[in-house]
Amino acid sequence: MSGTEALARLAEDRVDHRFKGLPPDADGLTVAELTAQRRNLFTDGFTTPVLALSAERLEHNLALMETYAARHGLAFAPHGKTTMAPQLFRRQIERGAWGITLAVPHQVRVARAFGVQRVFLANELVDPAALRWVADELAGDASFRFVCYVDSVRGVELMDAALRGTARPLDVVVELAAGEGARTGVRTEAECAAVADAVAATETLRLVGVAGYEGEVPGADPERVHAWLRRLVALAVDFDKAGRFAAEGLDEIVVSAGGSAWFDAVADVFAEIPELSRPVLKLLRSGAYVSHDDGHYRKVTPFNRIPEEGALEPAFRLWTQIVSRPSPEQAFANAGKRDAAHDLDLPFPQVIRRGTTERPATGVEVTSLSDQHAWLATAPEADLEVGDWLGLGLSHPCTSFDKWQLIPVAEADGTVVAYIRTFF
């Protein structure tokens, strides 16, 4: 089945109890049939809690990062583990994305099932079963491109053992750690060279570049992040001078970095990459921009530092309902940890909806979350009653998409124009 056919089949799925927040009277409809009804999120049977994406803000964010990457000469492989939504993978690729970045083998299987032809695995891969599956995908599809990290001689040995006898070598990049105490990656340039030598000694792997994640730089600030990125570029230059990118058939050198907090620094430093023996694929991997958020990334987005480049817009809103008002100082809404991202910041009350009237959620604060309840502190000025809908902004999109399997995409007036399927 082609990727296009697989995406089309998502619209044939039947709506039922598997999908939170959808109208009970829609049971049995296909997703395509429900979409065609253009129901209103507030008046046509959706039940709380229900997570919605803003159609307008989603489109704005996709367009902004497309133009940003093009303006700065960057290839773009957005980190798909944020959304795990093949429909969004397709929209990004249609906007010029080189491919999709992922983190674990399951995610790669999802991407391949929906026709993604280029995958950057921003992680080490040493599992024999997963490696053999990737090798089979490469053998069966000459146009499939797969790149992953290596950061140890032992890892190279395990990969080589699993891949012996495969048809195509697997492309790898040496991961440079962001510093002592950071996450994965090689700590020193000398160790990087040893890992590269180990790759060169195999017939199953091909060294195609260097990569890393600047978001792990300890005490990250502009100076430290720029300094680490220059180490990464210098490593690529040194490897090239040493002839480490001379493998047969290699037509470009991959240099990759870029989360959602420092992509401006990546653009700055990658613009300084000198001419190498082969063209350089300057690969940016930011992914949280798709929905953006009202917490962590809103505070640290590079567009705060470079406002002339534009601004991302928070696209998520979690609609919940006030189910208890035990005192003038306290209320409870029917959404909790099972529904709302909460690993970095608690949700942010934004608007109260009573009937068809919407107003700011003045004097309302989320103080904690239970499994299925939000604890709300209410100041004297808070006008909040049992039955009101409360719209919450969310922090950290990486833990929002994973809680909802079918997400309505709603226009500003509440008209639902699409449904996004996720695979976590």
Side-chain angles (χ1 to χ4, degrees), residues 324-332 363-367 375-382 384:
S324 181
R325 190 81 159 95
S327 75
E329 296 80 27
Q330 193 175 39
F332 290 86
V364 182
E365 178 186 5
V366 176
T367 58
W375 294 58
L376 307 175
T378 52
E381 66 271 21
L384 195 64

mmCIF file with all atom_site columns, all heavy atoms in Angstrom, residues 324-332 363-367 375-382 384:
data_model
loop_
_atom_site.group_PDB
_atom_site.id
_atom_site.type_symbol
_atom_site.label_atom_id
_atom_site.label_alt_id
_atom_site.label_comp_id
_atom_site.label_asym_id
_atom_site.label_entity_id
_atom_site.label_seq_id
_atom_site.pdbx_PDB_ins_code
_atom_site.Cartn_x
_atom_site.Cartn_y
_atom_site.Cartn_z
_atom_site.occupancy
_atom_site.B_iso_or_equiv
_atom_site.pdbx_formal_charge
_atom_site.auth_seq_id
_atom_site.auth_comp_id
_atom_site.auth_asym_id
_atom_site.auth_atom_id
_atom_site.pdbx_PDB_model_num
ATOM 1   N N   . SER A 1 324 ? -17.632 21.100 39.466 1.00 0.00 ? 324 SER A N   1
ATOM 2   C CA  . SER A 1 324 ? -17.841 21.300 40.904 1.00 0.00 ? 324 SER A CA  1
ATOM 3   C C   . SER A 1 324 ? -17.333 22.670 41.302 1.00 0.00 ? 324 SER A C   1
ATOM 4   O O   . SER A 1 324 ? -16.272 23.112 40.826 1.00 0.00 ? 324 SER A O   1
ATOM 5   C CB  . SER A 1 324 ? -17.103 20.208 41.701 1.00 0.00 ? 324 SER A CB  1
ATOM 6   O OG  . SER A 1 324 ? -17.303 20.373 43.091 1.00 0.00 ? 324 SER A OG  1
ATOM 7   N N   . ARG A 1 325 ? -18.101 23.328 42.180 1.00 0.00 ? 325 ARG A N   1
ATOM 8   C CA  . ARG A 1 325 ? -17.727 24.664 42.685 1.00 0.00 ? 325 ARG A CA  1
ATOM 9   C C   . ARG A 1 325 ? -17.966 24.666 44.184 1.00 0.00 ? 325 ARG A C   1
ATOM 10  O O   . ARG A 1 325 ? -18.899 25.287 44.701 1.00 0.00 ? 325 ARG A O   1
ATOM 11  C CB  . ARG A 1 325 ? -18.598 25.724 41.978 1.00 0.00 ? 325 ARG A CB  1
ATOM 12  C CG  . ARG A 1 325 ? -18.171 27.172 42.212 1.00 0.00 ? 325 ARG A CG  1
ATOM 13  C CD  . ARG A 1 325 ? -17.019 27.544 41.305 1.00 0.00 ? 325 ARG A CD  1
ATOM 14  N NE  . ARG A 1 325 ? -16.894 28.989 41.139 1.00 0.00 ? 325 ARG A NE  1
ATOM 15  C CZ  . ARG A 1 325 ? -16.082 29.769 41.855 1.00 0.00 ? 325 ARG A CZ  1
ATOM 16  N NH1 . ARG A 1 325 ? -15.308 29.221 42.785 1.00 0.00 ? 325 ARG A NH1 1
ATOM 17  N NH2 . ARG A 1 325 ? -16.017 31.066 41.626 1.00 0.00 ? 325 ARG A NH2 1
ATOM 18  N N   . PRO A 1 326 ? -17.132 23.928 44.942 1.00 0.00 ? 326 PRO A N   1
ATOM 19  C CA  . PRO A 1 326 ? -17.423 23.710 46.361 1.00 0.00 ? 326 PRO A CA  1
ATOM 20  C C   . PRO A 1 326 ? -17.299 24.939 47.250 1.00 0.00 ? 326 PRO A C   1
ATOM 21  O O   . PRO A 1 326 ? -17.838 24.954 48.365 1.00 0.00 ? 326 PRO A O   1
ATOM 22  C CB  . PRO A 1 326 ? -16.412 22.642 46.764 1.00 0.00 ? 326 PRO A CB  1
ATOM 23  C CG  . PRO A 1 326 ? -15.302 22.763 45.787 1.00 0.00 ? 326 PRO A CG  1
ATOM 24  C CD  . PRO A 1 326 ? -15.929 23.192 44.503 1.00 0.00 ? 326 PRO A CD  1
ATOM 25  N N   . SER A 1 327 ? -16.581 25.961 46.782 1.00 0.00 ? 327 SER A N   1
ATOM 26  C CA  . SER A 1 327 ? -16.435 27.173 47.587 1.00 0.00 ? 327 SER A CA  1
ATOM 27  C C   . SER A 1 327 ? -16.117 28.341 46.663 1.00 0.00 ? 327 SER A C   1
ATOM 28  O O   . SER A 1 327 ? -15.730 28.135 45.498 1.00 0.00 ? 327 SER A O   1
ATOM 29  C CB  . SER A 1 327 ? -15.310 27.004 48.620 1.00 0.00 ? 327 SER A CB  1
ATOM 30  O OG  . SER A 1 327 ? -14.040 27.101 48.002 1.00 0.00 ? 327 SER A OG  1
ATOM 31  N N   . PRO A 1 328 ? -16.255 29.584 47.149 1.00 0.00 ? 328 PRO A N   1
ATOM 32  C CA  . PRO A 1 328 ? -15.918 30.740 46.299 1.00 0.00 ? 328 PRO A CA  1
ATOM 33  C C   . PRO A 1 328 ? -14.456 30.766 45.875 1.00 0.00 ? 328 PRO A C   1
ATOM 34  O O   . PRO A 1 328 ? -14.099 31.442 44.914 1.00 0.00 ? 328 PRO A O   1
ATOM 35  C CB  . PRO A 1 328 ? -16.256 31.934 47.190 1.00 0.00 ? 328 PRO A CB  1
ATOM 36  C CG  . PRO A 1 328 ? -17.261 31.422 48.169 1.00 0.00 ? 328 PRO A CG  1
ATOM 37  C CD  . PRO A 1 328 ? -16.869 30.004 48.431 1.00 0.00 ? 328 PRO A CD  1
ATOM 38  N N   . GLU A 1 329 ? -13.594 30.037 46.592 1.00 0.00 ? 329 GLU A N   1
ATOM 39  C CA  . GLU A 1 329 ? -12.164 30.050 46.288 1.00 0.00 ? 329 GLU A CA  1
ATOM 40  C C   . GLU A 1 329 ? -11.710 28.854 45.466 1.00 0.00 ? 329 GLU A C   1
ATOM 41  O O   . GLU A 1 329 ? -10.530 28.746 45.129 1.00 0.00 ? 329 GLU A O   1
ATOM 42  C CB  . GLU A 1 329 ? -11.345 30.087 47.588 1.00 0.00 ? 329 GLU A CB  1
ATOM 43  C CG  . GLU A 1 329 ? -11.537 31.326 48.423 1.00 0.00 ? 329 GLU A CG  1
ATOM 44  C CD  . GLU A 1 329 ? -12.820 31.251 49.254 1.00 0.00 ? 329 GLU A CD  1
ATOM 45  O OE1 . GLU A 1 329 ? -13.266 30.122 49.591 1.00 0.00 ? 329 GLU A OE1 1
ATOM 46  O OE2 . GLU A 1 329 ? -13.392 32.321 49.539 1.00 0.00 ? 329 GLU A OE2 1
ATOM 47  N N   . GLN A 1 330 ? -12.632 27.946 45.137 1.00 0.00 ? 330 GLN A N   1
ATOM 48  C CA  . GLN A 1 330 ? -12.182 26.700 44.523 1.00 0.00 ? 330 GLN A CA  1
ATOM 49  C C   . GLN A 1 330 ? -13.217 26.177 43.529 1.00 0.00 ? 330 GLN A C   1
ATOM 50  O O   . GLN A 1 330 ? -14.423 26.342 43.713 1.00 0.00 ? 330 GLN A O   1
ATOM 51  C CB  . GLN A 1 330 ? -11.951 25.632 45.603 1.00 0.00 ? 330 GLN A CB  1
ATOM 52  C CG  . GLN A 1 330 ? -11.191 24.404 45.128 1.00 0.00 ? 330 GLN A CG  1
ATOM 53  C CD  . GLN A 1 330 ? -10.898 23.449 46.279 1.00 0.00 ? 330 GLN A CD  1
ATOM 54  O OE1 . GLN A 1 330 ? -11.726 23.243 47.157 1.00 0.00 ? 330 GLN A OE1 1
ATOM 55  N NE2 . GLN A 1 330 ? -9.704  22.869 46.279 1.00 0.00 ? 330 GLN A NE2 1
ATOM 56  N N   . ALA A 1 331 ? -12.712 25.554 42.467 1.00 0.00 ? 331 ALA A N   1
ATOM 57  C CA  . ALA A 1 331 ? -13.563 24.886 41.490 1.00 0.00 ? 331 ALA A CA  1
ATOM 58  C C   . ALA A 1 331 ? -12.782 23.710 40.916 1.00 0.00 ? 331 ALA A C   1
ATOM 59  O O   . ALA A 1 331 ? -11.548 23.637 41.028 1.00 0.00 ? 331 ALA A O   1
ATOM 60  C CB  . ALA A 1 331 ? -13.985 25.844 40.384 1.00 0.00 ? 331 ALA A CB  1
ATOM 61  N N   . PHE A 1 332 ? -13.524 22.799 40.269 1.00 0.00 ? 332 PHE A N   1
ATOM 62  C CA  . PHE A 1 332 ? -12.893 21.640 39.660 1.00 0.00 ? 332 PHE A CA  1
ATOM 63  C C   . PHE A 1 332 ? -13.415 21.470 38.240 1.00 0.00 ? 332 PHE A C   1
ATOM 64  O O   . PHE A 1 332 ? -14.624 21.558 37.998 1.00 0.00 ? 332 PHE A O   1
ATOM 65  C CB  . PHE A 1 332 ? -13.183 20.364 40.465 1.00 0.00 ? 332 PHE A CB  1
ATOM 66  C CG  . PHE A 1 332 ? -12.493 20.334 41.781 1.00 0.00 ? 332 PHE A CG  1
ATOM 67  C CD1 . PHE A 1 332 ? -13.071 20.921 42.900 1.00 0.00 ? 332 PHE A CD1 1
ATOM 68  C CD2 . PHE A 1 332 ? -11.240 19.744 41.919 1.00 0.00 ? 332 PHE A CD2 1
ATOM 69  C CE1 . PHE A 1 332 ? -12.424 20.902 44.130 1.00 0.00 ? 332 PHE A CE1 1
ATOM 70  C CE2 . PHE A 1 332 ? -10.592 19.719 43.133 1.00 0.00 ? 332 PHE A CE2 1
ATOM 71  C CZ  . PHE A 1 332 ? -11.175 20.309 44.251 1.00 0.00 ? 332 PHE A CZ  1
ATOM 72  N N   . GLY A 1 363 ? -8.955  35.673 36.988 1.00 0.00 ? 363 GLY A N   1
ATOM 73  C CA  . GLY A 1 363 ? -9.032  35.208 38.367 1.00 0.00 ? 363 GLY A CA  1
ATOM 74  C C   . GLY A 1 363 ? -9.086  33.702 38.533 1.00 0.00 ? 363 GLY A C   1
ATOM 75  O O   . GLY A 1 363 ? -9.404  33.219 39.616 1.00 0.00 ? 363 GLY A O   1
ATOM 76  N N   . VAL A 1 364 ? -8.751  32.942 37.474 1.00 0.00 ? 364 VAL A N   1
ATOM 77  C CA  . VAL A 1 364 ? -8.779  31.479 37.542 1.00 0.00 ? 364 VAL A CA  1
ATOM 78  C C   . VAL A 1 364 ? -7.362  30.945 37.323 1.00 0.00 ? 364 VAL A C   1
ATOM 79  O O   . VAL A 1 364 ? -6.674  31.353 36.389 1.00 0.00 ? 364 VAL A O   1
ATOM 80  C CB  . VAL A 1 364 ? -9.733  30.880 36.491 1.00 0.00 ? 364 VAL A CB  1
ATOM 81  C CG1 . VAL A 1 364 ? -9.779  29.355 36.626 1.00 0.00 ? 364 VAL A CG1 1
ATOM 82  C CG2 . VAL A 1 364 ? -11.124 31.470 36.629 1.00 0.00 ? 364 VAL A CG2 1
ATOM 83  N N   . GLU A 1 365 ? -6.943  30.031 38.183 1.00 0.00 ? 365 GLU A N   1
ATOM 84  C CA  . GLU A 1 365 ? -5.605  29.446 38.079 1.00 0.00 ? 365 GLU A CA  1
ATOM 85  C C   . GLU A 1 365 ? -5.676  27.949 38.332 1.00 0.00 ? 365 GLU A C   1
ATOM 86  O O   . GLU A 1 365 ? -6.378  27.497 39.247 1.00 0.00 ? 365 GLU A O   1
ATOM 87  C CB  . GLU A 1 365 ? -4.662  30.083 39.101 1.00 0.00 ? 365 GLU A CB  1
ATOM 88  C CG  . GLU A 1 365 ? -3.256  29.510 39.096 1.00 0.00 ? 365 GLU A CG  1
ATOM 89  C CD  . GLU A 1 365 ? -2.384  30.061 40.212 1.00 0.00 ? 365 GLU A CD  1
ATOM 90  O OE1 . GLU A 1 365 ? -2.902  30.822 41.049 1.00 0.00 ? 365 GLU A OE1 1
ATOM 91  O OE2 . GLU A 1 365 ? -1.193  29.703 40.252 1.00 0.00 ? 365 GLU A OE2 1
ATOM 92  N N   . VAL A 1 366 ? -4.957  27.156 37.515 1.00 0.00 ? 366 VAL A N   1
ATOM 93  C CA  . VAL A 1 366 ? -4.815  25.727 37.782 1.00 0.00 ? 366 VAL A CA  1
ATOM 94  C C   . VAL A 1 366 ? -3.697  25.560 38.801 1.00 0.00 ? 366 VAL A C   1
ATOM 95  O O   . VAL A 1 366 ? -2.565  25.998 38.575 1.00 0.00 ? 366 VAL A O   1
ATOM 96  C CB  . VAL A 1 366 ? -4.492  24.941 36.501 1.00 0.00 ? 366 VAL A CB  1
ATOM 97  C CG1 . VAL A 1 366 ? -4.251  23.466 36.827 1.00 0.00 ? 366 VAL A CG1 1
ATOM 98  C CG2 . VAL A 1 366 ? -5.620  25.077 35.485 1.00 0.00 ? 366 VAL A CG2 1
ATOM 99  N N   . THR A 1 367 ? -4.013  24.912 39.927 1.00 0.00 ? 367 THR A N   1
ATOM 100 C CA  . THR A 1 367 ? -3.010  24.724 40.971 1.00 0.00 ? 367 THR A CA  1
ATOM 101 C C   . THR A 1 367 ? -2.439  23.319 41.014 1.00 0.00 ? 367 THR A C   1
ATOM 102 O O   . THR A 1 367 ? -1.320  23.110 41.488 1.00 0.00 ? 367 THR A O   1
ATOM 103 C CB  . THR A 1 367 ? -3.595  25.067 42.342 1.00 0.00 ? 367 THR A CB  1
ATOM 104 O OG1 . THR A 1 367 ? -4.748  24.242 42.592 1.00 0.00 ? 367 THR A OG1 1
ATOM 105 C CG2 . THR A 1 367 ? -3.995  26.544 42.400 1.00 0.00 ? 367 THR A CG2 1
ATOM 106 N N   . TRP A 1 375 ? -7.557  21.121 39.473 1.00 0.00 ? 375 TRP A N   1
ATOM 107 C CA  . TRP A 1 375 ? -7.861  21.885 40.681 1.00 0.00 ? 375 TRP A CA  1
ATOM 108 C C   . TRP A 1 375 ? -7.698  23.364 40.338 1.00 0.00 ? 375 TRP A C   1
ATOM 109 O O   . TRP A 1 375 ? -6.624  23.792 39.894 1.00 0.00 ? 375 TRP A O   1
ATOM 110 C CB  . TRP A 1 375 ? -6.902  21.518 41.797 1.00 0.00 ? 375 TRP A CB  1
ATOM 111 C CG  . TRP A 1 375 ? -7.024  20.105 42.295 1.00 0.00 ? 375 TRP A CG  1
ATOM 112 C CD1 . TRP A 1 375 ? -6.886  18.963 41.573 1.00 0.00 ? 375 TRP A CD1 1
ATOM 113 C CD2 . TRP A 1 375 ? -7.289  19.707 43.640 1.00 0.00 ? 375 TRP A CD2 1
ATOM 114 N NE1 . TRP A 1 375 ? -7.046  17.858 42.377 1.00 0.00 ? 375 TRP A NE1 1
ATOM 115 C CE2 . TRP A 1 375 ? -7.298  18.275 43.658 1.00 0.00 ? 375 TRP A CE2 1
ATOM 116 C CE3 . TRP A 1 375 ? -7.513  20.394 44.837 1.00 0.00 ? 375 TRP A CE3 1
ATOM 117 C CZ2 . TRP A 1 375 ? -7.527  17.546 44.827 1.00 0.00 ? 375 TRP A CZ2 1
ATOM 118 C CZ3 . TRP A 1 375 ? -7.737  19.659 46.001 1.00 0.00 ? 375 TRP A CZ3 1
ATOM 119 C CH2 . TRP A 1 375 ? -7.753  18.258 45.986 1.00 0.00 ? 375 TRP A CH2 1
ATOM 120 N N   . LEU A 1 376 ? -8.733  24.130 40.552 1.00 0.00 ? 376 LEU A N   1
ATOM 121 C CA  . LEU A 1 376 ? -8.729  25.538 40.194 1.00 0.00 ? 376 LEU A CA  1
ATOM 122 C C   . LEU A 1 376 ? -8.855  26.411 41.431 1.00 0.00 ? 376 LEU A C   1
ATOM 123 O O   . LEU A 1 376 ? -9.731  26.180 42.279 1.00 0.00 ? 376 LEU A O   1
ATOM 124 C CB  . LEU A 1 376 ? -9.893  25.854 39.243 1.00 0.00 ? 376 LEU A CB  1
ATOM 125 C CG  . LEU A 1 376 ? -10.006 24.993 37.983 1.00 0.00 ? 376 LEU A CG  1
ATOM 126 C CD1 . LEU A 1 376 ? -11.269 25.352 37.215 1.00 0.00 ? 376 LEU A CD1 1
ATOM 127 C CD2 . LEU A 1 376 ? -8.782  25.159 37.099 1.00 0.00 ? 376 LEU A CD2 1
ATOM 128 N N   . ALA A 1 377 ? -7.976  27.405 41.530 1.00 0.00 ? 377 ALA A N   1
ATOM 129 C CA  . ALA A 1 377 ? -8.124  28.458 42.543 1.00 0.00 ? 377 ALA A CA  1
ATOM 130 C C   . ALA A 1 377 ? -8.826  29.632 41.881 1.00 0.00 ? 377 ALA A C   1
ATOM 131 O O   . ALA A 1 377 ? -8.446  30.050 40.783 1.00 0.00 ? 377 ALA A O   1
ATOM 132 C CB  . ALA A 1 377 ? -6.757  28.875 43.075 1.00 0.00 ? 377 ALA A CB  1
ATOM 133 N N   . THR A 1 378 ? -9.860  30.160 42.538 1.00 0.00 ? 378 THR A N   1
ATOM 134 C CA  . THR A 1 378 ? -10.657 31.237 41.939 1.00 0.00 ? 378 THR A CA  1
ATOM 135 C C   . THR A 1 378 ? -10.641 32.464 42.843 1.00 0.00 ? 378 THR A C   1
ATOM 136 O O   . THR A 1 378 ? -10.996 32.393 44.018 1.00 0.00 ? 378 THR A O   1
ATOM 137 C CB  . THR A 1 378 ? -12.105 30.765 41.703 1.00 0.00 ? 378 THR A CB  1
ATOM 138 O OG1 . THR A 1 378 ? -12.643 30.219 42.916 1.00 0.00 ? 378 THR A OG1 1
ATOM 139 C CG2 . THR A 1 378 ? -12.141 29.682 40.626 1.00 0.00 ? 378 THR A CG2 1
ATOM 140 N N   . ALA A 1 379 ? -10.203 33.574 42.278 1.00 0.00 ? 379 ALA A N   1
ATOM 141 C CA  . ALA A 1 379 ? -10.174 34.855 42.995 1.00 0.00 ? 379 ALA A CA  1
ATOM 142 C C   . ALA A 1 379 ? -11.581 35.455 43.021 1.00 0.00 ? 379 ALA A C   1
ATOM 143 O O   . ALA A 1 379 ? -12.476 35.018 42.295 1.00 0.00 ? 379 ALA A O   1
ATOM 144 C CB  . ALA A 1 379 ? -9.192  35.795 42.298 1.00 0.00 ? 379 ALA A CB  1
ATOM 145 N N   . PRO A 1 380 ? -11.797 36.484 43.849 1.00 0.00 ? 380 PRO A N   1
ATOM 146 C CA  . PRO A 1 380 ? -13.138 37.084 43.947 1.00 0.00 ? 380 PRO A CA  1
ATOM 147 C C   . PRO A 1 380 ? -13.691 37.558 42.614 1.00 0.00 ? 380 PRO A C   1
ATOM 148 O O   . PRO A 1 380 ? -14.908 37.541 42.403 1.00 0.00 ? 380 PRO A O   1
ATOM 149 C CB  . PRO A 1 380 ? -12.923 38.250 44.916 1.00 0.00 ? 380 PRO A CB  1
ATOM 150 C CG  . PRO A 1 380 ? -11.762 37.833 45.760 1.00 0.00 ? 380 PRO A CG  1
ATOM 151 C CD  . PRO A 1 380 ? -10.875 37.053 44.849 1.00 0.00 ? 380 PRO A CD  1
ATOM 152 N N   . GLU A 1 381 ? -12.824 37.971 41.695 1.00 0.00 ? 381 GLU A N   1
ATOM 153 C CA  . GLU A 1 381 ? -13.317 38.498 40.407 1.00 0.00 ? 381 GLU A CA  1
ATOM 154 C C   . GLU A 1 381 ? -13.676 37.397 39.412 1.00 0.00 ? 381 GLU A C   1
ATOM 155 O O   . GLU A 1 381 ? -14.170 37.682 38.307 1.00 0.00 ? 381 GLU A O   1
ATOM 156 C CB  . GLU A 1 381 ? -12.279 39.422 39.780 1.00 0.00 ? 381 GLU A CB  1
ATOM 157 C CG  . GLU A 1 381 ? -10.969 38.767 39.350 1.00 0.00 ? 381 GLU A CG  1
ATOM 158 C CD  . GLU A 1 381 ? -9.925  38.733 40.440 1.00 0.00 ? 381 GLU A CD  1
ATOM 159 O OE1 . GLU A 1 381 ? -10.296 38.832 41.645 1.00 0.00 ? 381 GLU A OE1 1
ATOM 160 O OE2 . GLU A 1 381 ? -8.730  38.605 40.113 1.00 0.00 ? 381 GLU A OE2 1
ATOM 161 N N   . ALA A 1 382 ? -13.436 36.137 39.768 1.00 0.00 ? 382 ALA A N   1
ATOM 162 C CA  . ALA A 1 382 ? -13.705 35.044 38.841 1.00 0.00 ? 382 ALA A CA  1
ATOM 163 C C   . ALA A 1 382 ? -15.206 34.778 38.752 1.00 0.00 ? 382 ALA A C   1
ATOM 164 O O   . ALA A 1 382 ? -15.854 34.501 39.754 1.00 0.00 ? 382 ALA A O   1
ATOM 165 C CB  . ALA A 1 382 ? -12.978 33.787 39.286 1.00 0.00 ? 382 ALA A CB  1
ATOM 166 N N   . LEU A 1 384 ? -17.369 32.162 37.515 1.00 0.00 ? 384 LEU A N   1
ATOM 167 C CA  . LEU A 1 384 ? -17.252 30.773 37.073 1.00 0.00 ? 384 LEU A CA  1
ATOM 168 C C   . LEU A 1 384 ? -18.353 29.953 37.714 1.00 0.00 ? 384 LEU A C   1
ATOM 169 O O   . LEU A 1 384 ? -18.525 29.971 38.942 1.00 0.00 ? 384 LEU A O   1
ATOM 170 C CB  . LEU A 1 384 ? -15.871 30.220 37.476 1.00 0.00 ? 384 LEU A CB  1
ATOM 171 C CG  . LEU A 1 384 ? -15.406 28.928 36.826 1.00 0.00 ? 384 LEU A CG  1
ATOM 172 C CD1 . LEU A 1 384 ? -15.222 29.105 35.321 1.00 0.00 ? 384 LEU A CD1 1
ATOM 173 C CD2 . LEU A 1 384 ? -14.101 28.453 37.462 1.00 0.00 ? 384 LEU A CD2 1
#
